[in-house]
Amino acid sequence: MDKNMEQKLIARAFEAQKRAYVPYSGFSVGAALLAKDGKVYLGCNIENATYTPTNCAERTAFFKAVSEGVTEFEAIAIVGGKKDASREEGKLCPPCGVCRQVMQEFCDAETFQVILAVSEENYRVFTLKELLPLGFGPEHLQ
Ligand code: THU
């Protein structure tokens, strides 16, 4: 993916982060998931007073797409932090293990790009395989 597309996706992730519902942790996460057909699905984390139903931003984006019939993906941009702290501290927000497993279900681990961003200019790109080596996927059940 070219740099311009990476930066556009990061900007969309920041847009999604604004809608995070985080009354308990105060930690806002935004994700922008690029499907192979070019559509972008946004997700934010959504917390709950009973804690465990909390849904991560990445899974919100995936489940929105899959529930609309879209199951082929190219990349996801992720941003997160306490208010604007992540930009100031330069911290990346790596996806949790559960979200990596959801990515494994729908994505080609060798090619799916996970863009972890502090800002549009400061970011790192990983393949899913780098973040989840030897992942268990649908092919293992065949
Ligand atoms: N969170 C995400 O949305 N994505 C991640 O990959 C890491 C964690 C959320 C869950 C919870 O609402 C808050 O961040 C603190 O864990």
Side-chain angles (χ1 to χ4, degrees):
M1 186 188 309
D2 66 27
K3 198 174 171 185
N4 186 44
M5 190 61 223
E6 288 170 350
Q7 290 182 320
K8 272 194 185 157
L9 209 55
I10 293 165
R12 300 297 312 276
F14 278 117
E15 189 186 318
Q17 186 188 23
K18 289 187 203 140
R19 297 199 279 270
Y21 176 76
V22 290
Y24 308 106
S25 73
F27 190 89
S28 305
V29 184
L33 176 63
L34 176 64
K36 285 203 171 150
D37 66 5
K39 273 198 186 160
V40 175
Y41 294 85
L42 302 185
C44 61
N45 52 335
I46 304 168
E47 298 186 344
N48 190 276
T50 60
Y51 299 151
T52 50
T54 292
N55 207 54
C56 290
E58 299 89 324
R59 274 177 290 145
T60 302
F62 267 91
F63 295 160
K64 280 173 69 181
V66 173
S67 64
E68 299 287 333
V70 175
T71 55
E72 292 186 4
F73 305 103
E74 201 172 316
I76 190 168
I78 305 164
V79 299
K82 291 215 166 202
K83 296 202 172 144
D84 282 336
S86 63
R87 281 196 195 225
E88 281 157 28
E89 294 165 10
K91 269 196 207 158
L92 301 177
C93 178
C96 80
V98 174
C99 288
R100 291 176 203 210
Q101 186 61 37
V102 168
M103 292 175 196
Q104 183 80 26
E105 185 69 26
F106 296 103
C107 306
D108 175 351
E110 309 255 4
T111 58
F112 185 70
Q113 308 274 291
V114 182
I115 303 166
L116 305 184
V118 172
S119 68
E120 281 90 333
E121 294 75 37
N122 181 2
Y123 63 90
R124 292 183 62 189
V125 184
F126 300 88
T127 63
L128 176 57
K129 196 168 189 176
E130 288 176 297
L131 299 183
L132 188 64
L134 210 65
F136 187 93
E139 70 279 12
H140 291 102
L141 289 178
Q142 279 165 10

